[in-house]
Amino acid sequence: MSTLVTMPKNGSDVSKRNNLTSLPSFSSWFDNFFENSLGTEFLSNFNTGITLPAVNIKETNEDYVLELAIPGMKKSDFSIDVDNKTLSIASEVKHENEQKEENYTRREFGYSSFKRTFTLPDSVESDKVKATYKDGILMVTLPKREEAKQKPPKRIQIS
């Protein structure tokens, strides 16, 4: 946040400290509030749902493997689709909890969701995509077409 009052350095005249011209205007203070990190941190706290999960992508000779760390979910919470050359991984979870007592009712609810999409290379066999979810890790395996797999080196004999 910007400095609200300029302070005199050692040995400066103390009477200059009370000069109101050193105070910023309300409008500049208000603008600075939203330009600095305090404003953006404040606004970002409104979204308490799942952020986009990080993805590790590995390539082997046989396939591509996507690993997403998404703990605390169930297999049924995920939706994985392949449409043309696009892989979509999405999740939407709603939580509701209601507690009724003699003098009050307490109701809490939450909602979290995310969607990640990936453009698949031509080398992926899209009909054979598989997914597993274990210990908070969603693993999507994208097998390569036979012609895209690397062949072992071949030694050529000289005749």
Side-chain angles (χ1 to χ4, degrees):
M1 202 170 223
S2 64
T3 306
L4 294 178
V5 178
T6 57
M7 298 299 293
K9 295 184 180 180
N10 288 342
S12 296
D13 185 7
V14 176
S15 64
K16 290 182 181 177
R17 198 177 351 175
N18 295 327
N19 185 356
L20 291 179
T21 60
S22 64
L23 291 174
S25 68
F26 178 75
S27 63
S28 68
W29 176 82
F30 189 76
D31 291 340
N32 287 340
F33 177 78
F34 287 102
E35 288 176 6
N36 294 324
S37 65
L38 179 60
T40 56
E41 288 170 7
F42 176 73
L43 294 174
S44 69
N45 287 334
F46 283 110
N47 180 11
T48 57
I50 297 174
T51 58
L52 286 178
V55 177
N56 291 331
I57 301 175
K58 296 187 289 188
E59 180 180 7
T60 68
N61 188 38
E62 302 292 318
D63 49 31
Y64 298 96
V65 179
L66 279 68
E67 296 175 327
L68 293 86
I70 315 170
M73 313 258 314
K74 299 178 288 197
K75 292 177 186 180
S76 60
D77 293 336
F78 297 106
S79 171
I80 302 173
D81 299 306
V82 176
D83 184 20
N84 292 328
K85 294 182 181 181
T86 304
L87 170 71
S88 299
I89 303 171
S91 176
E92 182 176 358
V93 180
K94 297 176 185 177
H95 301 281
E96 288 192 32
N97 184 14
E98 188 171 336
Q99 180 181 3
K100 291 186 179 189
E101 296 294 329
E102 185 176 323
N103 296 331
Y104 68 91
T105 298
R106 176 180 163 180
R107 185 171 180 208
E108 294 180 0
F109 58 93
Y111 175 83
S112 58
S113 68
F114 76 88
K115 182 172 185 177
R116 297 286 312 251
T117 58
F118 304 90
T119 301
L120 300 177
D122 292 332
S123 60
V124 170
E125 188 74 49
S126 60
D127 295 338
K128 297 182 179 178
V129 174
K130 295 180 183 177
T132 60
Y133 182 68
K134 183 178 178 185
D135 298 330
I137 304 293
L138 177 65
M139 186 177 299
V140 181
T141 305
L142 307 162
K144 291 181 180 179
R145 297 182 188 276
E146 195 60 41
E147 62 271 10
K149 296 179 183 176
Q150 276 189 343
K151 308 291 187 259
K154 180 180 175 184
R155 183 163 294 250
I156 307 296
Q157 296 294 325
I158 301 172
S159 56

